[in-house]
Amino acid sequence: MIVIKGGTLVDGQRTVQADVRIDQGKIQAIGLNLEADQVIDATGQVVMPAFVDLHAHFRDPGLTYKEDLATGTQAALKGGYGTVVLMANTKPTVDNNEVYQDIVERANALDLIQIYQNYAISKGLKGEEWVDLDHLPASVKFLSDDGFGLQNNKVTFQLFERIKQLGKGLMIHEEDRELSEIDYRYAEDVHTMRDVYFSGKTGARVHFCHVSTIDACKAVEYGKAQGYPVTMEVTPHHLYLSGLDYKVHPPIREEADRRYLVEALIRGAVDCVATDHAPHSVEDKLNGSPGMIGLETAFQVVYKVLVEEYGQDLQLVSRVMSQRPAEILEVNKGRIEVGYDADLVLVDLAQSETIQPNTIRSKSKNTPMMGETFKGVVTTTVVNGEVKYRRDINEY
């Protein structure tokens, strides 16, 4: 039995000075003077549920010069993540059971974090022919053609009806590619409005990826108010950056968008933060590949925005980075309660870190935040009751 002693426990519901006892991968007890076989000293630190990322790219198989399962996992652990959902735009695409099972089995063999692999919606992500929806693995929770909006209205509506029947969920990158040629804002807004409406009419569960504009956010808020089964995420970079010419999809928006997203997150309209961790090589980035890495800096960026800029507390940070994404994924994580999975992270808020290439665990270094200094350093990440990362010795 492990006891984490001396820390301040913070989850989405409470902040309390107490210890946590872990046994057989679960939180067994919370209190003081708990017996232990092994002690983790958390004096002066906060103990939070490990973070849950609903949106990341590990580029494995096929693009492993950018990232692979091992390096992506190491980046996740350094950032305090115990659970990550991977998108299907690998090479080959995750549009058949063979590729899906290969990723799942190799991720499980690493025995580091919990990885959930999304399944593609269409073969080759082309939007022309759906995958074999009748023979999806039972473990598939969400389908996504992330990076490619669903273009045809009739086919999209029919897909929503089928997904409702299957009891699965959809994660959707909203982009009308015809309108992208005019304005990326219109492209995101129009398809978000359409798919909120389709979700309401079909009952399909839809999670809106990396919402970035005022009107797209308002559209999902409308759906929530109507009781539609819709949820949404925002990225750390859309909460922090504005007016920056750094290529990501959707683009970095204006300051008014940024502030609206932050305020929507604070009032609970936006469900959660997801990184859209998108590693690229230097050459690929120079050639226009969109995206940035984010797993290792997400907590620090969110802390800077919500706590330092907007004066919110750590409970909100925990709700949007752990509790709500775990609830959306329907896993027994994201809270410090007896019976929950013992996925925990220790954070030293007194420490600061300057983002440098040699401190990044990801294979890729593509972030406009390079050289910036942030408060809040993850010192220990525990997954399923086992210490998987310690900053002092860098063990995985």
Side-chain angles (χ1 to χ4, degrees):
M1 294 183 292
I2 298 174
V3 171
I4 302 175
K5 283 185 174 289
T8 301
L9 308 188
V10 179
D11 68 5
Q13 308 303 311
R14 62 179 174 171
T15 300
V16 62
Q17 195 75 28
D19 304 333
V20 182
R21 185 163 65 205
I22 299 166
D23 191 29
Q24 297 183 347
K26 303 290 184 183
I27 296 173
Q28 188 206 49
I30 300 168
L32 298 173
N33 302 315
L34 301 176
E35 294 182 1
D37 299 322
Q38 177 185 347
V39 172
I40 297 175
D41 184 5
T43 302
Q45 302 184 68
V46 293
V47 181
M48 304 173 70
F51 310 129
V52 177
D53 189 5
L54 295 182
H55 191 146
H57 305 265
F58 282 2
R59 312 299 190 195
D60 190 346
L63 299 165
T64 53
Y65 66 95
K66 303 181 189 230
E67 194 80 284
D68 57 44
L69 286 174
T71 60
T73 294
Q74 291 169 6
L77 286 170
K78 181 175 181 288
Y81 282 91
T83 301
V84 173
V85 175
L86 300 181
M87 293 297 159
N89 60 335
T90 53
K91 290 188 177 182
T93 305
V94 187
D95 58 9
N96 62 80
N97 291 359
E98 183 179 357
V99 176
Y100 176 86
Q101 294 294 350
D102 170 65
I103 295 171
V104 171
E105 289 171 8
R106 288 190 293 115
N108 289 340
L110 289 173
D111 190 27
L112 291 172
I113 66 172
Q114 179 66 59
I115 287 177
Y116 290 91
Q117 176 63 57
N118 276 354
Y119 211 95
I121 295 170
S122 64
K123 292 185 178 179
L125 306 178
K126 296 179 180 179
E128 298 171 356
E129 182 182 359
W130 303 134
V131 297
D132 185 357
L133 296 173
D134 293 322
H135 299 93
L136 293 173
S139 58
V140 171
K141 290 178 176 287
F142 284 92
L143 291 85
S144 180
D145 271 7
D146 178 60
F148 301 88
L150 302 173
Q151 301 305 308
N152 183 286
N153 291 338
K154 178 181 177 181
V155 173
T156 299
F157 186 83
Q158 292 172 334
L159 171 69
F160 277 38
E161 291 182 311
R162 186 75 179 100
I163 289 297
K164 167 61 176 175
Q165 294 171 355
L166 292 172
K168 304 290 186 182
L170 291 169
M171 289 187 176
I172 302 181
H173 166 104
E174 294 296 5
E175 181 183 348
D176 183 317
R177 278 181 278 173
E178 290 183 345
L179 288 177
S180 293
E181 299 175 8
I182 301 172
D183 191 310
Y184 275 114
R185 180 178 296 272
Y186 302 159
E188 179 177 348
D189 292 349
V190 167
H191 267 193
T192 303
M193 293 173 189
R194 179 199 69 179
D195 290 343
V196 168
Y197 180 82
F198 283 179
S199 173
K201 293 303 178 184
T202 63
R205 184 161 59 103
V206 178
H207 179 75
F208 292 85
C209 295
H210 43 50
V211 173
S212 70
T213 72
I214 293 173
D215 287 339
C217 188
K218 286 182 176 179
V220 183
E221 288 182 78
Y222 170 82
K224 286 171 170 274
Q226 306 307 307
Y228 300 166
V230 294
T231 53
M232 60 175 154
E233 68 188 38
V234 294
T235 69
H237 49 272
H238 286 114
L239 294 174
Y240 181 54
L241 303 172
S242 61
L244 180 68
D245 184 19
Y246 189 91
K247 189 171 183 180
V248 291
H249 282 171
I252 301 300
R253 302 296 187 179
E254 300 307 314
E255 179 65 9
D257 298 292
R258 185 190 80 85
R259 289 193 173 275
Y260 190 89
L261 294 177
V262 174
E263 291 160 6
L265 190 68
I266 290 170
R267 67 174 181 268
V270 172
D271 294 275
C272 63
V273 173
T275 69
D276 195 10
H277 176 79
H280 292 296
S281 68
V282 173
E283 181 180 3
D284 287 343
K285 195 63 188 168
L286 289 174
N287 289 333
S289 294
M292 68 178 73
I293 58 173
L295 281 165
E296 297 172 62
T297 56
F299 171 79
Q300 296 165 335
V301 171
V302 173
Y303 181 85
K304 186 178 184 71
V305 173
L306 292 183
V307 179
E308 296 183 324
E309 182 183 356
Y310 276 81
Q312 300 298 304
D313 60 28
L314 272 178
Q315 289 181 207
L316 175 61
V317 176
S318 187
R319 280 197 297 276
V320 300
M321 293 191 68
S322 301
Q323 181 179 325
R324 281 299 290 137
E327 290 170 350
I328 292 167
L329 196 56
E330 298 180 335
V331 293
N332 188 43
K333 304 175 186 291
R335 294 181 63 175
I336 302 180
E337 296 283 355
V338 173
Y340 273 71
D341 292 350
D343 289 12
L344 300 164
V345 59
L346 278 62
V347 181
D348 188 341
L349 297 175
Q351 284 194 56
S352 297
E353 180 177 30
T354 300
I355 308 306
Q356 299 289 351
N358 64 346
T359 67
I360 293 174
R361 291 288 167 184
S362 171
K363 279 187 182 180
S364 299
K365 318 300 177 187
N366 53 305
T367 172
M369 300 174 201
M370 195 70 72
E372 292 198 47
T373 299
F374 296 93
K375 285 185 179 179
V377 170
V378 171
T379 65
T380 306
T381 305
V382 178
V383 183
N384 289 325
E386 297 182 6
V387 175
K388 299 296 186 179
Y389 168 80
R390 275 181 51 187
R391 184 179 176 86
D392 59 347
I393 57 177
N394 291 324
E395 286 189 353
Y396 297 95

